[in-house]
C-alpha cells in the first residue's frame, strides 16, 4: 500500500471513531459538533480552539474523497474572534464539502492586521486536523480576499516541513489581496486625503486633528454609523438622488472620479481607511506611517490644480514600509501548483492584484506553477458556485498527475457542474489584467 493511500485510509479509520474524540481543556483536540443544515447529510462536524487561541470548525463529508481544504478567511476582521465565526466561511464555501472535500477553517488568534500571524494560525489548524484524523491524501490551502494574502504567505512560509516533506499539495486563491501589504491599501490612503479635501468632516474642524494615515485620532471614538452620517452629510450617499443638493453631487462626483471607485463602494473603503488603518498603523506599526502621497498627482476632478495644491500630503516612513513588506508582501517563490479565480469587476480587491501576483511569480521563475482565471462578475465575497467547483476539480486533477489546467479547461469543467448548482459559469478566458500605472 503506498503512502498516500495509507494516510487517507488512516484518516478515514480515525473518522469512523470520531465521536469518541473529546476536547480536553487547554488542548486543540476537535470536539464533535452539530453540523449546520447547509451541509450534506452524513457530514461530521467538529470544533475547537487552536494552539494560539483561534477558533476552528471542521466538516468531513460521508463521501470524503481523502482531500482536505484548509481555509484562510478574509478581512482583516478587527473585532474579537468568536467561536462560531468560521461558520460564515464554511457556508460560503460549502460546495467544497458537497464535492467530497473535508474542510477546516479558523479565526485567527486575534482581530486586526497581521499576515504572518494569520498564516501561522492557518498552518496550525492544518496540523490540528492532521493530528486528529491522520494526514489526508491531499492538503489544499484556500485563501479568500485578505485570506488570499494570508494563504499565499502561508504557502511560502510553510511549503515544506523540517524534514523537507511537502505540506501544501496545492493552493487556491479566490478574490485575493495579492499585491502585498505595501501596495494593497495605498488607494484608501488616497481616498482619505481626497475625501477630506472636499468634505472636511473626517475629522471635523471642531475635533482634534490627526494625520489621515493614522486612521483615527488616539482618543477618537467614531463609529461606523457616525462615519456613514458624515459621508451622507457631505456627499448625499444614502439619500435619494432627488434629495441631494448640487454641492453634494459635485463633491461626490469629484471624489469618485479621482479615486476611481463607485458610489456604493465609498463608505466601505472609507471605513477600511479608518478603522483598519488605526489598527495597522497604531497597533501593528507602532505609529509609523507606511503610506505616501507626497508625489501623487490627483486627476479627474473639476479643478485638479486646486485639489493637488490643497490636499493633505504625507510621506512614508521607510521603517514602516519595511515592516509591512516583511509581514505581508509576497516573494512569488511558490512551490505548489496554484490556481486563482477573481471577478474582473471586484469592487473590494481590484482585479489588478492578480496581475501584480502573476508578475511577481513570473519574476521568481515559478510561472509554470500558476494558473489564473477571471470571471465577468462584480462580486467579491462569493462568485458563482460552480466556478469554485471547477477550480478545485482542476487543481485536484493536476495534483493527481493530470495536465496543467488552462482557463479554457476550467471553464469547460464549470459547465458540467453548473446544472448541479443552478448557477451560471461566467469565465472570461481571454482576459489578462495589468498593474495600473502609479
Amino acid at each position: 500500500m503506498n503512502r498516500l493511500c495509507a494516510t487517507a485510509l488512516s484518516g478515514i479509520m480515525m473518522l469512523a471513531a470520531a465521536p469518541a474524540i473529546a476536547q480536553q481543556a487547554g488542548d486543540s483536540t476537535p470536539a464533535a459538533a452539530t453540523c449546520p443544515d447547509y451541509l450534506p447529510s452524513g457530514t461530521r462536524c467538529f470544533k475547537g480552539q487552536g494552539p494560539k487561541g483561534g477558533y476552528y470548525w471542521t466538516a468531513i463529508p460521508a463521501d470524503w474523497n481523502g482531500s482536505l481544504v484548509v481555509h484562510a478567511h478574509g478581512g482583516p476582521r478587527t473585532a474579537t474572534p468568536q467561536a462560531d465565526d468560521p461558520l460564515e466561511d464554511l457556508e460560503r464555501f460549502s460546495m467544497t464539502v458537497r464535492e467530497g472535500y473535508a474542510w477546516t477553517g479558523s479565526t485567527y488568534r486575534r482581530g486586526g492586521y497581521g499576515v504572518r500571524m494569520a498564516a501561522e494560525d492557518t498552518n496550525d489548524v492544518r496540523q490540528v486536523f492532521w493530528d486528529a484524523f491522520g494526514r489526508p491524501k491531499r492538503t489544499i490551502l484556500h485563501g479568500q480576499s485578505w485570506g488570499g494574502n494570508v494563504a499565499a504567505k502561508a504557502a511560502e512560509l510553510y511549503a515544506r516541513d523540517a524534514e523537507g516533506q511537502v505540506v501544501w499539495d496545492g493552493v487556491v486563491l479566490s478574490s485575493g489581496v495579492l499585491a502585498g501589504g505595501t501596495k494593497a491599501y495605498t488607494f484608501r490612503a488616497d481616498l482619505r486625503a481626497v475625501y477630506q479635501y472636499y468634505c472636511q468632516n473626517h475629522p471635523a474642524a471642531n475635533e482634534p486633528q490627526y494625520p489621515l494615515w493614522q486612521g483615527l485620532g488616539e482618543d477618537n471614538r467614531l463609529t461606523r454609523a457616525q462615519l456613514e452620517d458624515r459621508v451622507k452629510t457631505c456627499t448625499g450617499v444614502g439619500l435619494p438622488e432627488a434629495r441631494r443638493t448640487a454641492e453634494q453631487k459635485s463633491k461626490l462626483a469629484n471624489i469618485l472620479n479621482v479615486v476611481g471607485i463607485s458610489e456604493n463602494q465609498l463608505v466601505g473603503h472609507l471605513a477600511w481607511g479608518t478603522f483598519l488603518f488605526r489598527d495597522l498603523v497604531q497597533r501593528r506599526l507602532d505609529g509609523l506611517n507606511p503610506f505616501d502621497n507626497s508625489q501623487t498627482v490627483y486627476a479627474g476632478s473639476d479643478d485638479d490644480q486646486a485639489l493637488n495644491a490643497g490636499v493633505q500630503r504625507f510621506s512614508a516612513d521607510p521603517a514602516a514600509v519595511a515592516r509591512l513588506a516583511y509581514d505581508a508582501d509576497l516573494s512569488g517563490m511558490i512551490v505548489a501548483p496554484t490556481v486563482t479565480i477573481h471577478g474582473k469587476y471586484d469592487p473590494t480587491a481590484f482585479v489588478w492584484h492578480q496581475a501584480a501576483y502573476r508578475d511577481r511569480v513570473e519574476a521568481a521563475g515559478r510561472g509554470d506553477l500558476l494558473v489564473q482565471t477571471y470571471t465577468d462578475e462584480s462580486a467579491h465575497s462569493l462568485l458563482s458556485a460552480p466556478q469554485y467547483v471547477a477550480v478545485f476539480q482542476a487543481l485536484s486533477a493536476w495534483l493527481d498527475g493530470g495536465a496543467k489546467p488552462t482557463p479554457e479547461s476550467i471553464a469547460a469543467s464549470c459547465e458540467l457542474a453548473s446544472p448541479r448548482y443552478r448557477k451560471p459559469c461566467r469565465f472570461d478566458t481571454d482576459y489578462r489584467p495589468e498593474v495600473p500605472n502609479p
Side-chain angles (χ1 to χ4, degrees), residues 231-394:
V231 174
K232 182 188 294 184
T233 298
C234 177
T235 68
V237 169
L239 294 173
E241 182 78 16
R243 291 181 55 193
R244 299 177 186 177
T245 67
E247 182 180 15
Q248 287 173 327
K249 292 177 182 179
S250 175
K251 289 179 177 179
L252 178 61
N254 280 320
I255 294 168
L256 300 183
N257 289 340
V258 171
V259 181
I261 58 176
S262 62
E263 177 181 325
N264 61 3
Q265 300 168 14
L266 176 57
V267 171
H269 284 306
L270 200 59
W272 284 114
T274 301
F275 306 111
L276 176 61
F277 278 20
R278 175 176 59 186
D279 177 86
L280 173 61
V281 171
Q282 299 182 37
R283 298 172 183 168
R284 315 303 165 199
L285 295 176
D286 297 326
L288 302 178
N289 173 29
F291 304 115
D292 196 317
N293 75 340
S294 61
Q295 302 300 316
T296 302
V297 178
Y298 295 107
S301 72
D302 56 13
D303 190 341
D304 290 345
Q305 183 175 358
L307 170 62
N308 282 286
V311 72
Q312 184 180 128
R313 298 289 181 174
F314 35 84
S315 298
D317 185 313
V321 176
R323 286 174 58 176
L324 184 55
Y326 173 77
D327 182 71
D329 283 2
L330 300 168
S331 71
M333 288 293 295
I334 61 177
V335 298
T338 301
V339 182
T340 74
I341 180 171
H342 210 117
K344 290 163 54 177
Y345 310 110
D346 188 326
T348 303
F350 303 139
V351 71
W352 65 262
H353 280 261
Q354 294 291 332
Y357 189 59
R358 177 199 67 219
D359 293 349
R360 184 60 61 91
V361 170
E362 290 180 349
R366 311 302 289 170
D368 61 316
L369 290 174
L370 179 65
V371 176
Q372 295 183 299
T373 64
Y374 303 94
T375 76
D376 66 1
E377 293 163 288
S378 57
H380 172 70
S381 295
L382 184 62
L383 304 179
S384 187
Q387 297 170 162
Y388 294 116
V389 172
V391 164
F392 278 98
Q393 288 180 340

Side-chain angles (χ1 to χ4, degrees), residues 20 37 52 72 93 118 120 134 145 173 205 221 266 276 301 344 348 397:
D37 57 12
K52 308 295 191 308
F93 296 104
E120 183 179 33
S145 186
L173 304 172
R221 297 294 180 263
L266 176 57
L276 176 61
S301 72
K344 290 163 54 177
T348 303

Side-chain angles (χ1 to χ4, degrees), residues 2-9 11-12 64-70 100-104 126 129-130 133-142 166-171 336-337 392-402:
N2 64 43
R3 179 181 61 82
L4 291 178
C5 291
T7 53
L9 179 59
I12 293 170
W64 184 27
N65 61 18
S67 291
L68 168 67
V69 173
V70 180
Y101 296 87
W103 185 98
T104 192
R126 185 269 311 161
F129 186 100
W130 283 19
F133 304 108
R135 181 167 181 166
K137 172 186 174 183
R138 301 286 189 200
T139 301
I140 297 172
L141 177 58
H142 173 217
V166 170
V167 172
W168 308 110
D169 296 291
V171 181
F392 278 98
Q393 288 180 340
L395 177 62
S396 297
W398 191 10
L399 297 177
D400 287 337

